[in-house]
Amino acid sequence: MDWKYYRPTFTADSAPEIPTGVMVGGAWSGHRRFAYDIVRFAKPKTIVELGTFYGTSFFSFCQAVQDARLQTNCYAVDTWQGDQHTGQYGHLNIYQAVHSFNSRQFSAFSTLVRSTFDEALALFGNNSIDLLHIDGCHTYEAVLHDFRSWLPKLSPNGIILFHDIIVKLPTFGVHVLWEQLSAVYPHFQFAHSNGLGILFPKGCPEPFKTVIANQSLLAKHYSR
Ligand SMILES: C[S@@+](CC[C@H](N)C(=O)[O-])C[C@H]1O[C@@H](n2cnc3c(N)ncnc32)[C@H](O)[C@@H]1O
């Protein structure tokens, strides 16, 4: 298997705009090294994230693009207002913090789209997104809507990441959708850090078939 385990330095960890602990102590933090490694492995041309908050996941993708000098454009879509599960952000100016760090560190290839996911659909052509991360509101209806509305935008052999696939709190429905999708499409998954699902709904490229076959090795490595 050609998969490489990198040991990146995440520049977001020392960003003064981002509150201490957010990057390393949040629900997404346990997937950062995987996010970095999958970008370096798959070399996507276009990455779109639905749901960014302070950027724990997004800046991991960006770090890989920067370190590997990839020709990749990254887009983070969020209202930066919060939702049913995060709560409303209110006076917390999370967008300003993310914008300030993004402008300084990654602006050559990274764009923040401050809008609803539905509004942002018009910005992307069909079959144009190589790596899509769906991490917005986690009700079944919301995540199903995000999947259905963004699937046409995914390129052939494109990858979709879903966070929170093992969370079974009331009103959390990603696990239900994940059960349905993973019964149909090639995939692999991690159970740590609320679970991350990796789905290939438009075909699975050859190198990823080996990764899927070796998923227990990856799970062991990233859950440490
Ligand atoms: C769980 S948080 C994202 C966490 C982030 N991926 C991380 O690494 O920390 C979900 C985000 O999605 C945003 N969101 C939820 N539904 C949305 C929608 N329909 N349109 C735009 N933003 C939305 C919220 O504002 C919130 O910031």
Side-chain angles (χ1 to χ4, degrees):
M1 183 173 64
D2 292 336
W3 188 270
K4 285 203 180 70
Y5 300 105
Y6 291 90
R7 299 175 66 85
T9 297
F10 291 108
T11 49
D13 289 0
S14 48
E17 297 93 339
I18 312 237
T20 314
V22 167
M23 290 292 152
V24 294
W28 223 92
S29 304
H31 300 300
R32 290 199 307 167
R33 289 176 303 132
F34 170 73
Y36 181 96
D37 292 348
I38 195 174
V39 169
R40 295 199 66 157
F41 184 77
K43 299 182 180 56
K45 292 251 178 305
T46 302
I47 299 175
V48 174
E49 173 166 277
L50 307 179
T52 296
F53 186 46
Y54 273 109
T56 305
S57 45
F58 186 66
F59 291 140
S60 310
F61 302 135
C62 290
Q63 193 66 55
V65 170
Q66 185 170 71
D67 292 354
R69 297 195 171 94
L70 299 178
Q71 299 297 308
T72 305
N73 290 310
C74 300
Y75 300 88
V77 186
D78 199 312
T79 58
W80 278 279
Q81 289 176 354
D83 60 49
Q84 180 183 337
H85 290 135
T86 60
Q88 293 300 307
Y89 298 160
H91 67 281
L92 281 177
N93 215 333
I94 297 175
Y95 173 75
Q96 287 307 336
V98 174
H99 180 262
S100 166
F101 175 64
N102 188 63
S103 306
R104 192 173 63 252
Q105 190 67 33
F106 298 125
S107 63
F109 58 84
S110 163
T111 305
L112 305 186
V113 180
R114 194 180 189 181
S115 76
T116 66
F117 302 156
D118 286 357
E119 286 162 352
L121 278 165
L123 303 177
F124 300 93
N126 283 348
N127 306 313
S128 70
I129 300 173
D130 305 306
L131 178 61
L132 176 68
H133 176 215
I134 298 182
D135 194 20
C137 181
H138 295 321
T139 63
Y140 177 74
E141 293 70 24
V143 71
L144 177 63
H145 174 79
D146 296 340
F147 172 73
R148 280 191 175 151
S149 52
W150 285 84
L151 185 60
K153 309 290 180 182
L154 193 72
S155 63
N157 282 348
I159 307 163
I160 307 185
L161 307 184
F162 291 89
H163 190 223
D164 290 301
I165 60 164
I166 61 149
V167 181
K168 296 197 173 157
L169 293 169
T171 77
F172 274 66
V174 187
H175 67 99
V176 180
L177 182 64
W178 179 252
E179 211 171 290
Q180 295 165 344
L181 296 176
S182 61
V184 178
Y185 298 116
H187 67 280
F188 61 106
Q189 65 192 79
F190 301 120
H192 64 280
S193 295
N194 289 358
L196 189 73
I198 301 96
L199 194 76
F200 300 88
K202 290 190 174 178
C204 183
E206 224 30 68
F208 272 105
K209 290 185 180 158
T210 319
V211 174
I212 291 173
N214 285 283
Q215 62 180 289
S216 59
L217 294 178
L218 271 71
K220 203 167 160 194
H221 177 87
Y222 292 113
S223 61
R224 275 205 293 263

